[in-house]
Each structure stands twice: as C-alpha cells, then as structure tokens.
Amino acid sequence: MGTTWSCDDQGFHRQLFPNRYVYSSEKKNRTPWLEVVVEGEDDLPPEPPQDLSYDNAGLKPGQLRVSWVTPEDRGGGKTLGFHVGYKAGEVFVPVPRYLIPMAGDAGEQVVMVLLDLGFGPGKAAVIQVQPVDSAENVGEARDLEIVTAPKGKIFDQTVVPAEPLAARAGALTVGGLEIAVLDLLDKVDPVSGEMIPGQEPR
C-alpha cells in the first residue's frame, strides 16, 4: 500500500510503494475480481411483513412512526430490506431510501420514522410495505392506514393585567422567621444588617 522500510544486519532497505496488497483495474494481469459461488436458485419471495402498526405519540406535527416484523424468506436466503411508499390520492409515492431501515433477522421488529415528507399535522394516508430478499425477490405488499402527529396544544396567551403589590412596612415573616429578598450582587453586613455599600430604602 505504501513505502516500507526494513533493517537487516545493520543495513537499511526501502521499498517505494510496493503495493503488495491491492491491485487496481489498470494493473496488467493483476486486475482484481469478485467471485461469488452459489448453490441452486432462489426465485421465491419472502413472506409479507407481519404486525404492521403505527403511532405518532411524542413526535413533531406531521411525523409518524411505523413498525413491523421482519418476515421469513421462503427461498433459502434472507429478507434483506423493504420497499416503502405511501398513497397520496391515486398516486403512489416511494419513501426516500435513507428513511427505510434494513431488515433485521426473521421475527425481529423494524421501526421507521417518517419525516421530511411534507405531511401536514393530522394527515391521513396509506403506507405500503414490501419485503425484498437477498436474491431481489419482492414479496407481497401490506397496506396500513395511518394518521400523522397532530398539532401541539395551543396555550391561551391572553395577557392578564396584574396589580402591583401594596407597600409593606417592616420585614416579611414566614413561620415566625423574618426573611429578606436580595439581589445576587448585593452584600449585607451579617451583624448590623446594613447594605455594603449603603443604599437608600426603596
């Protein structure tokens, strides 16, 4: 991969970029290749996804969480991934691949969070999930009617007028103890109770 050095009988030897491990496609008679050996053919699709469900609790408006169980593959391989889309009216729109998780082992749950799709809050739609196995066989699709996360609660922001507190003479008392409220930057002599530096009463 890179230049190597070695010391032998007090002799220093350098090999400049011997490239002893990797050959590129430009290397004559040394072009790398990938050899895959298979036994038989897999033309059977995986089972349909099971336990397809959704929820939108705790998500931002318009988002959605969908889950299902990775199905068995009937052809001897394994379920590798999924095609996912949603129906907007009569149009089927594929979900971007970066949002679709890989399949787990058969029987494991898969969770997908849908975001950045432009769904409005409380939007109803139909999600469709199709399993795909390692031989590119596509299984039967399953549909699920969903509703995206609604808008958050809108709080009443009406301004309520407040009356100022009436002037009070003397110290405040709580449970028979006199208390005082000070600014964090104020200082008070603990013996005399005088402000440092002195200040006029407010």
Side-chain angles (χ1 to χ4, degrees), residues 62-63 96 98-99 114-119:
Q63 295 184 356
Y98 71 90
L99 292 177
L114 294 179
L115 65 164
D116 304 331
L117 296 181
F119 282 135

Side-chain angles (χ1 to χ4, degrees), residues 78-159:
K78 65 168 293 184
T79 303
L80 188 63
F82 306 92
H83 294 318
V84 182
Y86 61 94
K87 295 178 181 177
E90 299 298 323
V91 180
F92 181 80
V93 181
V95 170
R97 298 304 309 180
Y98 71 90
L99 292 177
I100 305 174
M102 294 290 291
D105 293 332
E108 287 187 353
Q109 187 180 48
V110 176
V111 179
M112 175 182 65
V113 178
L114 294 179
L115 65 164
D116 304 331
L117 296 181
F119 282 135
K123 174 72 174 180
V126 177
I127 295 290
Q128 186 178 89
V129 180
Q130 280 185 295
V132 182
D133 68 11
S134 52
E136 299 186 34
N137 298 307
V138 180
E140 182 181 348
R142 285 287 187 266
D143 291 352
L144 175 68
E145 295 182 358
I146 58 91
V147 178
T148 61
K151 288 183 179 179
K153 183 183 294 185
I154 299 177
F155 295 95
D156 185 6
Q157 298 182 0
T158 303
V159 177

